[in-house]
Amino acid sequence: AAAVAFAPYCGPRDLVAWRGTNRAADGIIAAEGTWRRMLVAHFSPALALVADSKEEGGIRETPEAVVARLRGSGPQEAYAALHGTTSEPFALQPRARLLLEIHELRDWDKNQQQLLVQRQAIHIAAALGNAGTVERLRSDIVPCTLALVSLQAMMGGGGAACLAERAGLAWGPDIDRELTRLLDERLQRRRRWWQEQRSFLLQDLEWD
C-alpha cells in the first residue's frame, strides 16, 4: 500500500528503475491501480475535460471516475500516450521569445499549455472509445491552436497555412478569416502597448 501511495510522486523512468529491484515491486507497478493513481496525480486537467456530466444535478465525473473506465492495460497505455504528448509544432527557443512582447509571451504560454492539455484529453477520450467527446475536443482545440499560429506569424517567417495544417487544422476560408482577424487584433494591441510604454517613458523623463 505504501508503494502504491508513493508511485504518483515518481516519473516513468523512476518506475522503470523501481520495477527492476524485485518481483514485489514489479507486480505493484504493473497493477492497474498504480497507473490509475499516476494518471489522476499527473493529468487531472486533461481528465476533467473528458469527464461526463451526470443526469442528477449535472454533477461532473471526478478524474478518478474517468480513469476507472479504463480497463486492462488501458491505464498504463493511456499514461504512456499522455506523457509523450507534445505541443509540436509550437515551440519557442529562447532567442525567439525575444521577438514577442511581454503580454504576447503570456498568451503564448497560456495557449501552449491549453493545447497540450486538450491533446492529452483527446488521447483519453479515444482510449475510452468516446467518439463524441473526441469530436467535441477537436473542435474546442481550434481557438488555442489559431492563437499560437497568429503569435508565430507575429514573429515573421510566414507559412501560417502550413503551420496550421501541421498542428492538425484543415486549412480553409473560415480558418483563414479567423486567423486574419486574430492578427489584426494582435497588431492593434501591440501598437497600443507600444504607445503605453512610450507614454510611461515620457513621464519618467518629465519627473527626472
Side-chain angles (χ1 to χ4, degrees), residues 34-160:
T34 300
W35 291 101
R36 287 197 178 102
R37 289 178 67 93
M38 294 274 286
L39 282 166
V40 172
H42 298 166
F43 302 110
S44 282
L47 293 168
L49 293 178
V50 180
D52 291 330
S53 295
K54 296 182 180 179
E55 293 182 2
E56 298 179 2
I59 300 173
R60 297 190 70 81
E61 284 183 301
T62 63
E64 289 81 1
V66 175
V67 299
R69 291 194 271 137
L70 293 168
R71 302 299 180 183
S73 60
Q76 184 172 353
E77 291 174 356
Y79 188 94
L82 269 59
H83 186 264
T85 303
T86 71
S87 58
E88 290 294 332
F90 304 107
L92 283 185
Q93 299 301 320
R95 186 179 296 275
R97 294 180 71 88
L98 298 175
L99 299 175
L100 295 176
E101 304 295 351
I102 295 173
H103 63 276
E104 294 166 347
L105 279 173
R106 285 197 293 264
D107 284 349
W108 177 279
D109 292 339
K110 181 187 72 174
N111 283 288
Q112 186 184 42
Q113 180 60 28
Q114 185 177 355
L115 176 73
L116 179 62
V117 170
Q118 288 178 317
R119 284 180 173 178
Q120 290 169 341
I122 290 172
H123 278 301
I124 298 168
L128 292 170
N130 195 331
T133 301
V134 170
E135 188 64 25
R136 171 178 62 81
L137 290 168
R138 284 179 176 165
S139 177
D140 291 346
I141 209 172
V142 173
C144 66
T145 304
L146 279 178
L148 290 167
V149 173
S150 68
L151 286 164
Q152 190 82 46
M154 293 288 287
M155 293 184 286

Side-chain angles (χ1 to χ4, degrees), residues 187-201:
L187 287 170
Q188 292 174 16
R189 186 179 178 188
R190 180 178 280 193
R191 292 189 191 101
R192 289 195 301 269
W193 190 83
W194 283 344
Q195 290 171 355
E196 289 173 357
Q197 300 309 305
R198 182 175 180 276
S199 297
F200 293 148
L201 179 59

